[in-house]
Amino acid sequence: MAEKRLPTRLLLEEKELPRNWYNMNAVLPEKHAPALHPGTLQPCTLEDYEGAFCTELAKQELNVTDEYIPIPEEIMDFYKMIRPSPLIRAYCLEKSLGTPAEIYYKFEGNNTSGSHKLNSAIAQAYYAKKQGLTSLTTETGAGQWGTALSMACAFLGMDLTVYMVKCSAEQKPFRKSVMETYGAKVIPSPSTTTEIGKKILAENPNTAGSLGCAVSEALEVATKTPNCKYVLGSVLDHVILHQSIIGQETKTALEKYGVEPDLLVSCIGGGSNFGGFIAPFIKDKINGKAKYEILAVEPKSCPSLTRGRYAYDFGDTGKMTPLLKMYTLGNGFMPSPNHAGGLRYHAMNPIVSKLYHDGYIKCTSVEQTSVFEAAVRFAKTEGILPAPESSHSIRVVIDEALKCKETGERKKIVFCLSGTGYFDIKAYTQYNDKTMTDYIPTDEDLEKGFATIPDIPQNK
Amino acid sequence: MAEKRLPTRLLLEEKELPRNWYNMNAVLPEKHAPALHPGTLQPCTLEDYEGAFCTELAKQELNVTDEYIPIPEEIMDFYKMIRPSPLIRAYCLEKSLGTPAEIYYKFEGNNTSGSHKLNSAIAQAYYAKKQGLTSLTTETGAGQWGTALSMACAFLGMDLTVYMVKCSAEQKPFRKSVMETYGAKVIPSPSTTTEIGKKILAENPNTAGSLGCAVSEALEVATKTPNCKYVLGSVLDHVILHQSIIGQETKTALEKYGVEPDLLVSCIGGGSNFGGFIAPFIKDKINGKAKYEILAVEPKSCPSLTRGRYAYDFGDTGKMTPLLKMYTLGNGFMPSPNHAGGLRYHAMNPIVSKLYHDGYIKCTSVEQTSVFEAAVRFAKTEGILPAPESSHSIRVVIDEALKCKETGERKKIVFCLSGTGYFDIKAYTQYNDKTMTDYIPTDEDLEKGFATIPDIPQNK
């Protein structure tokens, strides 16, 4: 008897949308080590977090008890415009590969920010507004986060200042213009609008800027401006919490259509899309009921999980943030400039780090040119031009599907296509022109980064 | 009693997808005048069309009898990846306007081409391949059509050469790179690859190119290359036919959710998104059963319907195409260079022209800066950065909704948001910088264009 053909798009109706975020911290059998205050080296308290973040987000950061956290109605109203994001059966890719594997992808790029970042941006802006704040600051590198937060702030009528890494602002003027169209003030960093920016410029007038510097400028302005806080788009646990909407929808849709996955795949940089995608699937991994594997994919040029150290480190190169226990290449690690797109962060969200350390998830790393080869193949068969970041997942999924072709296994593979590459055309041009190169740091390169990990008692 | 709240997204399941295109030519009470061979001035025959187009498309162009034309299964498989496109209730826009009107938009921009153009691109490439052709040629201006056709040809494994208006290729290098990523050969026009291109370059080495010239180059190459035909993305009746998937889905969804529209709005250039959007709604307008109005919106800078003449004219400035009876500003008309985005075509699809001439549809025109004001307002409330073209509709919809605020009328307005503005950031920057200007041609300007309408007996 012929099997029933699943629709190409595994749709959810609005009434089937998840009403809660999923908090992995509530189900970890052993909690991850607490964040430490950089001055006292004592665990960060709510008050510590409230210095930089709004209260509700600080509470979420510290919440290790509530498995489900209700999504406020106002945020649901926004989500309903852009969600559920489609879960798509990649029939055409499967056919072109000639694989018996079933491939599904959760596509988060169907919004103007071009990625999943909007899921947390709207939540963070909402809580800030509810607390009576009138403006926010943040940093952005590649620009997806800055765009997403600009959209969220425009929607809620809040002011936003984005410190955008100078070389990125110059290379991606369109990203800057989109943020400005949404009303954000975009300042190439380092700038003369902050003390730290002036200091850096005085020392090095021609610097191209860095994410670490942009963080420091955004933090400085937030601290000095009334009714203003700093927000960020990855790494912290409350960001992963908001992104769990991705996994919640994926799980609901798979259950609705009777698909039992064998392998869940997502790319990983700071952990936001990966953490959100796997969130509701992790409990069954922990209690041993899951028959699926969970696989993270990182670039070989910035291999925080596969080659990093599990230690307390700063989140920024300026060493201003709390210390987090995470897989890290050292806060001084800088990926090679030939690395395109995001996934450049030196460390990894603490929950994801803990899950990896305890063996609940696996990680593999891939090279840039092979990633773009997969990206172009996907674009030609599935129609979507993927983000370089998301294409790391595609590389691994195609390889897995080709293995299934050898073995005949009908593996069900589900991956998160976290965004589109519409603003990453320069990297595609390099790939087309065959001027794109690969880079794998040597052990000596890594040692230089490791030397920047703080030498504190907790790291002994 | 409180009314039941409609979901934000009026979803259709895959099994509810339309299986047919809708052919307006079958229901026009009086057929539009036939296309004329430019040499003989006799009605074009199937053979005439087959000179440039593949046979099935030529047949569709001449089909005035079949109201429903089945969509081949292979095209349905492609549509299922990107369709149904969402029909969205603009709750947030309504709220921000404080209007009692209900606003709905059919969003065609959720694919990498960024617009509705893909609906016809895949159909045209499919029929060409089925006929045994191995390559296609086309022209592109703003780039949406070229991108869409590149995607379709990549999907089907066909070669494609795109002649891209030189100034557009220079101003939008990213568009060019996207097409190249999909495997298309993109040649800035005029070029030295054709006789007509060489001739134009010899006369004017510094020309910025024009759509008319790009059409001529693409046609020349198609004629000289074995197993190759020319395709185009608007104006002709078979293009409108394929685009009727937009209207078919819209009508199905409105009926499913019990929404009876009062006003249907869409922007108009050559007619492809407008014609496709209104197609299945036109029969009830003709037989008098419809209680809705149908309104086209064109730019004041290129007002073919509101200020053009209803006459036979060429489709290109090179006067190589068949003569079509249509509203035209004259094939020599050029919109002012300060006009951003598409909707620059001098004339209008013959079906749409006939419907307008016979009073079944209305048209209004709007100015550029007011269009961008509406676009930014929409982007901030509904999250989507709209294409400049689509924003013409938004301008009119917002004005209508504000009128309803005065009158208290709960008008149900449905419009087609034909695409996104991700590759039109330069125009948004001009708007943000307040360097954008308006332009309304004077009667004298228009007379110069009208003088290029051919002086043939049928135009007396």
Side-chain angles (χ1 to χ4, degrees), chain B residues 62-76:
Chain B
L62 289 166
N63 187 330
V64 293
T65 49
D66 299 319
E67 189 174 350
Y68 294 96
I69 295 183
I71 304 172
E73 209 51 50
E74 293 87 342
I75 298 175
M76 281 305 301

Side-chain angles (χ1 to χ4, degrees), chain A residues 248-320:
Chain A
Q248 292 274 86
E249 283 182 9
T250 305
K251 192 159 182 278
T252 304
L254 291 175
E255 286 168 0
K256 176 178 174 179
Y257 289 92
V259 179
E260 292 185 14
D262 298 298
L263 178 64
L264 300 170
V265 179
S266 198
C267 67
I268 197 155
S272 74
N273 94 81
F274 177 83
F277 177 61
I278 68 157
F281 295 96
I282 211 65
K283 192 176 183 180
D284 280 351
K285 277 309 279 184
I286 290 169
N287 65 26
K289 286 186 195 161
K291 60 165 210 157
Y292 44 78
E293 294 287 340
I294 298 178
L295 182 62
V297 188
E298 64 183 11
K300 275 201 194 295
S301 58
C302 191
S304 59
L305 280 185
T306 51
R307 296 176 71 195
R309 294 209 177 138
Y310 192 42
Y312 271 106
D313 196 5
F314 292 99
D316 66 332
T317 47
K319 302 176 197 272
M320 294 168 71

